[in-house]
Structures are given as C-alpha cells and as structure tokens.
Amino acid sequence: MRPKNLEKEEAIRTIALQIIAEEGLENLSMQKLAKAANVSPRTIYIKYENKEDLLITLFIEDVLGAYEKAVLENFNPDVDFNQGVKKIWLNTFHYLKENRNSFALLQYGKSSPLLNKAFQKANIKQGHFFAPIHDFLQLNVAKNIIRDFPHDVHRAMLFSPLLDLVNEYFNYKERPEQIITEEIILECCEAVIKGMLK
C-alpha cells in the first residue's frame, strides 16, 4: 500500500472512532464517514466489506491492541496483589482518559455482539489478550489470596467498576468540577481489592 493510501486509511479509522465517540455507534454510516474523511465511499468499501467489518477491524487493530499495551505497561504478574491491581487501575485510567474515542468503542464492544464477532474473525481465544492479568489472578487464587471465581467474574470485578468511573470522568469534563481524580481512583481500587480478598 502506498503511503498516501496509508494516510487515507488512518484518517478513515481516526474519524470513525471520533464519530462513534461524539455521535454514537448508531450514527456512524459509511457515507457520513466518507464525507468526514474527505474520501469517496468507494475508497472505504475497497478496504472494508461493510460497517461491521470496519468496526471489527477498528476494535481489534486500533483499540484492543493499544489498550492492552497501555494496561500492561510495567506490570508483572508476580507482584503483590494490592500493588498489581493498583498498577492495572492506574494504567487503565491514565490511558482511557487520554483516549476517549477508543473508550467509546470499548464500551460498545462490551454491550453488543461486536466483541464476540471480532474475536471469532481474528480467531482470538479467551486469554489471548491480557494474558499477564489472567496469570496474575490465577497465581493469587493458587496462593489463596483471592476468592476462586470463574475468570469472567474476576474480570468483571476488576474492570467494571473502573470503566464506570472512567465514564463518570468523561461526564464530569462538562461540569465545573472534576470529581474523578487519581486519588478517588486509588480509593475505589482499595475497596475493590478488599472485596476480592479471601
């Protein structure tokens, strides 16, 4: 692919994420995207079969990979449980608050069949992404430090409260005072840690 085509493709993906974040997934159409990216709809359809194909590609290639890399930065599965959870939470919070567009697609992926289709298309099995966090949780179950729940329950306990707090962070950006600070994130993290301990 020529550099000019790469620039077009990057613009298409960036603008698609922006439309999703600002107007909602339901308001993303290939025609609207083409107009905003200043390309013809045909240009988009050369690369993507349809809207779903575009969304799955965005989710796997643009969002999930960068998100995983940020969450796992300087994280070690062998670390103390409290320290490890705090690292995961702070990495996640710092990344998502700077990447609202990616956060919006992650939220849609959670509540729609998009996530499962994306994983099937890319032949991704559970545990492929965030494997060090899976290892971290299993190690702490084996050490009898945390309760032995199914993996999806651990994941929900670890990430759902944090993602809701990030959502509140963005809601409060439009208000006079931001209540979701790093200090609040750490206090809430402590509460989650206590809830997971045996």
Side-chain angles (χ1 to χ4, degrees):
M1 193 178 273
R2 297 190 310 269
K4 192 172 182 183
N5 286 345
L6 281 172
E7 286 172 22
K8 276 185 190 175
E9 188 176 340
E10 192 175 314
I12 289 165
R13 290 183 181 198
T14 301
I15 291 166
L17 285 170
Q18 187 178 335
I19 292 170
I20 292 165
E22 292 174 3
E23 302 177 38
L25 187 61
E26 64 281 359
N27 291 311
L28 174 68
S29 70
M30 299 303 240
Q31 289 72 25
K32 180 185 276 192
L33 176 58
K35 186 175 180 183
N38 200 25
V39 297
S40 73
R42 186 176 167 275
T43 302
I44 298 174
Y45 283 111
I46 288 170
K47 179 70 180 166
Y48 307 103
E49 190 179 321
N50 51 34
K51 178 178 166 179
E52 184 177 280
D53 184 39
L54 168 66
L55 290 172
I56 288 170
T57 303
L58 277 174
F59 192 82
I60 295 291
E61 294 181 14
D62 289 34
V63 174
L64 205 52
Y67 176 50
E68 178 192 40
K69 184 178 177 187
V71 171
L72 295 176
E73 187 177 354
N74 298 320
F75 173 77
N76 182 341
D78 298 318
V79 77
D80 166 78
F81 184 70
N82 291 22
Q83 191 181 346
V85 175
K86 285 177 188 173
K87 185 63 161 165
I88 291 165
W89 269 52
L90 286 176
N91 281 354
T92 302
F93 178 63
H94 290 147
Y95 174 75
L96 292 178
K97 77 176 192 169
E98 298 302 323
N99 293 278
R100 185 177 195 166
N101 296 350
S102 295
F103 175 67
L105 189 56
L106 281 170
Q107 291 295 88
Y108 281 113
K110 256 183 16 175
S111 61
S112 79
L114 173 67
L115 185 60
N116 286 332
K117 285 185 180 178
F119 283 0
Q120 286 168 6
K121 181 181 177 187
N123 198 26
I124 294 169
K125 306 284 184 258
Q126 188 175 51
H128 178 89
F129 279 94
F130 300 101
I133 294 176
H134 298 261
D135 295 343
F136 170 69
L137 293 167
Q138 287 170 351
L139 279 169
N140 282 282
V141 167
K143 290 178 190 172
N144 213 26
I145 291 170
I146 62 172
R147 301 169 200 220
D148 187 8
F149 290 126
H151 170 72
D152 288 337
V153 174
H154 276 145
R155 182 180 41 78
M157 290 176 74
L158 191 59
F159 284 101
S160 294
L162 176 56
L163 296 177
D164 281 346
L165 288 166
V166 171
N167 197 49
E168 288 301 319
Y169 171 84
F170 288 122
N171 287 340
Y172 272 85
K173 282 195 93 166
E174 311 300 321
R175 301 180 192 183
E177 184 185 357
Q178 177 58 263
I179 65 163
I180 308 299
T181 62
E182 187 172 302
E183 185 181 353
I184 290 289
I185 290 291
L186 285 171
E187 284 182 33
C188 294
C189 182
E190 289 281 358
V192 167
I193 289 167
K194 283 178 187 167
M196 293 181 79
L197 292 175
K198 247 189 163 180

